[in-house]
Amino acid sequence: MSPYVPSIQPSPITAAATDETGQSSSAVKEVTTAAYESAPGYRERMTTTAYGSCNLCEAMCGLEFTVADGVVQSIRGDKEDPLSRGHICPKATALVDIHSDPDRLRRPVRRTNDGWQEIGWDEAYDLVVDGLVGVREKYGADAVGVYAGNPNVHSLGAMTHGIPFFGLLRTRNRYSATSLDQLPHQLANRLLYGHQLLLPIADIDNTDFFLVLGANPMASNGSMMTVPDFAKRAKALRARGGRMIVVDPRRTETADIADTHHFIRPGTDAYLLLALIHTIISDGSASPAPYVDGLEEVGQAVLTFTPEAVAPVVGIEAAEIRALAADLAGADRAAVYGRMGVSTQRFGSVCQWAIQVLNIITGNLDRPGGTMMTDPAISLVSAGVIGRGHLDKWRSRVRDLPEFAGELPCSTLVDEITTEGKGQIKAMVVSSGNPVLSMPGGERLDEAFAGLDFMVSFDIYVNETSRHADVILPPTSALERDHYDLIFHTFAVRNTAKLSPAVLPKPDGAKHDWEIFRDLALRYTARRNSNVLKRLHPRSVVREVRFRLSPTASIDLLLRRARKGLSVSALRKNPHGIDLGPLQPGLPGKLKTRDKRISLMQPTITSHLPELAALLTETPTSGLLLIGRRHVRSNNSWMHNSERLVKGKPRHHLLAHPEDLAARGIGDGTLARVVSAAGVVDVEVSASDRMMRGVVSLPHGFGHGKSGSKLSVATGVAGPSMNDLTDPDQVDAVSANAILNGVPVEVTASPAAPPT
Ligand SMILES: Nc1nc2c(c(=O)[nH]1)N[C@H]1C(S)=C(S)[C@@H](COP(=O)(O)OP(=O)(O)OC[C@H]3O[C@@H](n4cnc5c(=O)[nH]c(N)nc54)[C@H](O)[C@@H]3O)O[C@H]1N2
Ligand SMILES: Nc1nc2c(c(=O)[nH]1)N[C@H]1C(S)=C(S)[C@@H](COP(=O)(O)OP(=O)(O)OC[C@H]3O[C@@H](n4cnc5c(=O)[nH]c(N)nc54)[C@H](O)[C@@H]3O)O[C@H]1N2
Ligand code: SF4
Ligand SMILES: [Mo]
């Protein structure tokens, strides 16, 4: 595949490049005719520059596109973007590879005995409505399960129209990537600040002391902290005399640019954090704001967790823990930040609560250089677009696990599909997701999906999960649709607003994701509401109007309501984005707690401290612990079909410390067998002294060898799925979030390896 010229040509630029829904492509405004196209200089005249943001990860990097002849010629960083200031990573240019990938779906397909068959939209919609209504009428609404995967939050249409469509299904079997990911953050936010999305963001551009646990922004470009160009910001931090400390069982790319790196035994961060809280409070250096309650009680609750008591468990010397506490408390402006590594473990919710407590008691919450809540143009918190969140209003049928904000934990999806009885899932709706590779117990899910009565996937590929669908509905590619980031401005290190107009026109016969959800919603409600009076009920009418409104029009309404002078047209006039300034303090005003105070003692969390104390005396297992990793050239379970991204050394290897390999007689580069309580995989090993002794690492999202996937057809990316090893039976003690790090495993030379 040559890099920029698509092997499937997008349809020619049509008049005004504006589709019937008003989504326009600012890039290509010219009206083209056959004569015009054949005139000399046409190509030059048709070369346009367009601006937008990358939607692949949370960093929202500004992009500059050059478009000629309806083909994107180049993608560069937009130097004038006030947030990303020109930064991009290698994935941005791969937007073109996805767009032009012949394996990307462009029309609905149905699974037949003879393989995938392209069908028309009407036929596809009928099949989906028949399938979903059929299961609902036969078994009840809960028999339809919904999984909303990661790319939903990166698609405006999925946010504005997908979520309301899933709501129409009225099922309690709602799942999303949240419970494989940031659920503990949302829970801690809800408890301490009164709203699940009210998350204070580390003010990296002004801090003097940045403590990072279980995050690797050099690869991930930041998460629950939108921080494009992390490297430059971290360098600036150190240049002004600040320090960055990284706590991670692997010496990561982020650790490489830090002042100090501490190895930590996977899954033990809660102990470290509690010991830091203990030390700071007992040293008398805690100084929370006047609107904070419960300092003394927290001090009492963490008495057991002295640095000396936790040191042998976490693998960091007591003196170093004390020094870290003193540095953190002593810094003028400090911020503590923790991500996937500390969220997806047994006490992930305790970790995220403890991180907030540390920022609060050191007086760093709500001050420049500390952590602050953002002021996005469209505030999901104050606009009431997303609810405050709630835990344990009901529980899952099979394992009695708590819901959070109306969703059940992913780790129990497989049980809900395979366990017979009333409420068993018989049909699945999977939107931009690949649970077979992304959820613990992937192999069991693979089988479970195969046994469903009906399944629909919204996806641009046949992946390891959508291969089980009866119908796959593919939306337009990211280059063909307008985007405004509803979610990640909320978590960004600077307040900005930016519209990304479609760069290429929508090809004939293609549909935007919001159009697909709209069409399905209207047909589904028409089928469910055969009663005309019901259809004329004001609630139904309002709902219908909402579905008919394009995402860009909805954004316009929200912008106009939010701030004077903001609108879609204002954003179009400022193609690089509008700078709304640095993060600003605003507490207690911004709090959503009833009394506008922060109560540190949260029984939901602190009731688990005795359990942690009891486990402290247990001798740690001597076996190996498996953790995950991300790479800047890979994105969760996909983007493995882009040659330019996957080229170079294979990235799926099991990393292990050379001495751990030697102790097991496993040669570097050979095939090893990894066994956990949940499964077995064979994988090549790479010796790496970047790993802590006793810890091994595998990335997730590989495992395309499972038959039928089109995610690595062009490139043949190898490697097993890490989630064949992670165990769905083990969950976060508080929130039931998935445990994806610190999985006990045994590693031996694989019997499948050739004798050495
Ligand atoms: N072991 C382990 N497992 C993990 C993780 C880990 O760290 N370790 N991380 C977890 C986390 S944080 C997450 S967020 C999940 C992510 O896992 P998932 O939620 O499954 O999401 P992805 O793998 O990102 O993407 C799934 C699909 O979305 C499709 N897609 C891409 N763009 C679009 C689009 O615009 N429209 C549609 N309809 N489809 C699109 C892609 O083709 C791909 O097939 O994985 C989780 N799983
Ligand atoms: N290039 C790229 N960027 C991405 C993604 C991607 O797949 N590729 N995915 C996006 C998504 S969906 C997300 S959620 C974010 C995630 O963003 P990050 O959380 O920054 O990314 P990870 O690489 O998962 O970093 C987790 C770190 O935790 C460490 N770790 C594992 N176990 C433990 C532990 O017990 N304790 C401690 N202290 N550390 C531990 C791991 O070694 C790893 O370095 O990245 C986003 N950005
Ligand atoms: S870091 Fe890369 S993938 Fe993420 S938004 Fe920026 S360019 Fe896109
Ligand atoms: Mo994620």
Side-chain angles (χ1 to χ4, degrees):
M1 257 192 314
S2 81
Y4 291 124
V5 182
S7 41
I8 292 182
Q9 285 288 334
S11 63
I13 297 158
T14 46
T18 304
D19 65 49
E20 79 281 5
T21 56
Q23 297 230 115
S24 76
S25 104
S26 74
V28 193
K29 288 215 180 75
E30 291 87 336
V31 177
T32 68
T33 63
Y36 186 71
E37 284 174 19
S38 54
Y42 160 73
R43 195 186 163 92
E44 289 67 37
R45 285 200 305 282
M46 286 305 289
T47 300
T48 340
T49 306
Y51 298 94
S53 292
C54 177
N55 75 328
L56 290 170
C57 85
E58 302 175 34
M60 303 191 293
C61 297
L63 303 179
E64 182 186 289
F65 302 90
T66 315
V67 187
D69 283 351
V71 176
V72 173
Q73 305 290 330
S74 72
I75 299 181
R76 290 189 206 90
D78 176 3
K79 291 199 179 67
E80 289 177 60
D81 182 294
L83 180 65
S84 64
R85 311 173 303 194
H87 176 262
I88 51 168
C89 84
K91 290 187 292 303
T93 34
L95 279 167
V96 185
D97 302 346
I98 300 164
H99 180 76
S100 58
D101 188 347
D103 294 318
R104 177 169 67 86
L105 298 175
R106 287 154 171 84
R107 292 283 181 281
V109 290
R110 89 181 279 187
R111 191 163 42 83
T112 72
N113 290 337
D114 302 322
W116 294 101
Q117 182 198 356
E118 269 197 12
I119 53 174
W121 287 101
D122 282 331
E123 188 184 345
Y125 291 153
D126 285 343
L127 285 169
V128 175
V129 173
D130 285 350
L132 296 180
V133 172
V135 166
R136 179 166 176 175
E137 284 174 356
K138 194 160 164 200
Y139 302 102
D142 292 341
V144 177
V146 177
Y147 174 69
N150 172 276
N152 282 285
V153 288
H154 298 283
S155 156
L156 177 60
M159 296 306 295
T160 56
H161 290 68
I163 292 173
F165 171 67
F166 307 144
L168 287 179
L169 303 175
R170 298 246 170 276
T171 172
R172 284 198 168 181
N173 273 307
R174 291 273 298 266
Y175 302 81
S176 82
T178 294
S179 56
L180 303 169
D181 191 346
Q182 80 287 355
L183 172 49
H185 292 254
Q186 288 177 227
L187 176 60
N189 298 341
R190 172 67 184 87
L191 295 172
L192 291 166
Y193 310 125
H195 193 288
Q196 54 178 324
L197 297 185
L198 210 46
L199 174 70
I201 301 302
D203 186 14
I204 185 171
D205 292 339
N206 296 298
T207 198
D208 301 322
F209 191 88
F210 190 34
L211 172 57
V212 177
L213 303 107
N216 187 13
M218 284 299 283
S220 68
N221 286 288
S223 181
M224 300 308 276
M225 177 181 184
T226 284
V227 54
D229 206 0
F230 179 80
K232 217 182 251 171
R233 291 175 201 265
K235 206 170 157 193
L237 187 164
R238 297 184 65 196
R240 63 176 178 264
R243 289 164 60 199
M244 179 162 87
I245 318 294
V246 170
V247 179
D248 199 302
R250 181 167 73 94
R251 198 169 67 244
T252 58
E253 299 79 357
T254 305
D256 281 343
I257 62 160
D259 295 86
T260 312
H261 167 235
H262 295 285
F263 281 126
I264 186 167
R265 222 174 130 259
T268 65
D269 298 79
Y271 292 115
L272 172 66
L273 292 160
L274 294 172
L276 290 174
I277 296 174
H278 167 82
T279 311
I280 290 168
I281 296 180
S282 61
D283 285 357
S285 34
S287 54
Y291 47 81
V292 175
D293 299 316
L295 179 67
E296 237 172 77
E297 292 87 332
V298 170
Q300 289 296 318
V302 299
L303 271 181
T304 338
F305 305 99
T306 61
E308 289 69 22
V310 305
V313 175
V314 300
I316 303 175
E317 304 265 325
E320 291 194 58
I321 300 175
R322 289 199 179 275
L324 186 57
D327 287 349
L328 175 61
D332 280 344
R333 305 174 298 176
V336 188
Y337 164 71
R339 243 340 248 128
M340 278 301 281
V342 289
S343 300
T344 52
Q345 49 168 277
R346 173 97 186 127
F347 293 101
S349 295
V350 176
C351 288
Q352 291 301 343
W353 168 83
I355 285 172
Q356 295 305 324
V357 170
L358 278 172
N359 285 322
I360 296 168
I361 65 173
T362 51
N364 282 300
L365 172 68
D366 205 42
R367 77 171 171 210
T371 64
M372 286 173 283
M373 278 116 180
T374 60
D375 296 293
I378 297 178
S379 162
L380 298 172
V381 175
S382 18
V385 181
I386 289 183
R388 291 149 49 90
H390 42 73
L391 179 74
D392 208 8
K393 281 214 172 158
W394 62 84
R395 293 196 173 192
S396 67
R397 178 181 65 105
V398 181
R399 275 165 64 192
D400 208 32
L401 295 175
E403 62 76 43
F404 180 80
E407 292 182 357
L408 291 171
C410 285
S411 287
T412 197
L413 173 60
V414 70
D415 312 307
E416 295 295 334
I417 301 177
T418 54
T419 311
E420 284 177 17
K422 199 175 171 310
Q424 180 185 6
I425 296 178
K426 295 283 190 180
M428 273 302 296
V429 176
V430 177
S431 175
S432 322
N434 195 355
V436 171
L437 296 194
S438 309
M439 287 184 196
E443 266 194 344
R444 279 170 62 196
L445 273 165
D446 200 15
E447 267 171 49
F449 286 134
L452 288 167
D453 287 8
F454 179 75
M455 176 165 161
V456 54
S457 277
F458 300 84
D459 210 292
I460 52 176
Y461 285 101
V462 178
N463 68 25
E464 291 68 21
T465 303
S466 62
R467 74 185 177 106
H468 295 297
D470 295 279
V471 188
I472 308 177
L473 302 172
T476 45
S477 91
L479 296 177
E480 295 162 343
R481 60 193 192 219
D482 290 359
H483 184 61
Y484 177 91
D485 211 311
L486 270 180
I487 300 290
F488 297 108
H489 286 299
T490 311
F491 305 131
V493 297
R494 189 175 181 90
N495 296 309
T496 62
K498 183 161 178 172
L499 183 77
S500 302
V503 176
L504 298 172
K506 190 174 77 164
D508 289 339
K511 286 198 189 281
H512 295 307
D513 35 18
W514 74 272
E515 294 174 305
I516 301 172
F517 289 121
R518 173 201 62 194
D519 295 350
L520 277 178
L522 298 180
R523 285 169 195 241
Y524 184 87
T525 37
R527 179 79 70 84
R528 293 274 311 154
N529 275 352
S530 46
N531 181 333
V532 179
L533 284 179
K534 261 194 182 167
R535 253 189 272 170
L536 292 175
H537 189 280
R539 224 180 19 230
S540 308
V541 175
V542 168
R543 194 168 54 201
E544 178 163 340
V545 170
R546 285 219 182 113
F547 272 112
R548 289 187 186 279
L549 200 64
S550 80
T552 319
S554 312
I555 289 301
D556 192 45
L557 290 176
L558 287 168
L559 284 169
R560 284 172 196 275
R561 208 169 72 186
R563 270 181 217 222
K564 218 172 160 243
L566 277 184
S567 63
V568 162
S569 80
L571 291 181
R572 283 193 200 283
K573 282 184 200 130
N574 293 275
H576 306 291
I578 294 178
D579 190 7
L580 301 168
L583 304 184
Q584 299 286 348
L587 295 193
K590 286 180 187 171
L591 291 176
K592 292 289 172 193
T593 50
R594 282 186 217 298
D595 53 2
K596 293 266 178 211
R597 298 184 66 80
I598 297 171
S599 174
L600 296 178
M601 279 301 279
Q602 293 293 337
T604 310
I605 304 284
T606 46
S607 63
H608 290 270
L609 298 186
E611 191 186 338
L612 269 152
L615 288 172
L616 195 53
T617 51
E618 269 185 26
T619 356
T621 49
S622 53
L624 296 173
L625 295 174
L626 173 70
I627 61 167
R629 69 173 184 271
R630 283 175 160 79
H631 192 281
V632 73
R633 303 180 78 92
S634 176
N635 197 20
N636 293 326
S637 77
W638 65 299
M639 296 191 75
H640 293 154
N641 220 20
S642 160
E643 265 162 22
R644 91 172 89 204
L645 282 185
V646 305
K647 69 180 179 210
K649 276 203 321 200
R651 306 206 172 91
H652 63 266
H653 286 198
L654 182 85
L655 301 184
H657 193 280
E659 288 168 28
D660 284 328
L661 289 180
R664 287 163 180 77
I666 305 168
D668 187 13
T670 64
L671 203 63
R673 175 150 296 179
V674 189
V675 183
S676 73
V680 185
V681 308
D682 283 338
V683 61
E684 298 91 331
V685 294
S686 285
S688 166
D689 63 5
R690 290 175 164 269
M691 296 305 302
M692 185 179 183
R693 279 294 309 266
V695 184
V696 292
S697 150
L698 266 184
H700 73 286
F702 289 75
H704 303 301
K706 294 178 197 291
S707 62
S709 164
K710 292 277 173 72
L711 283 168
S712 70
V713 169
T715 54
V717 164
S721 173
M722 181 193 183
N723 284 319
D724 288 348
L725 294 170
T726 52
D727 187 353
D729 292 338
Q730 302 294 325
V731 292
D732 174 11
V734 184
S735 71
N737 198 34
I739 296 183
L740 305 172
N741 285 293
V743 178
V745 289
E746 278 177 28
V747 183
T748 51
S750 167
T756 43

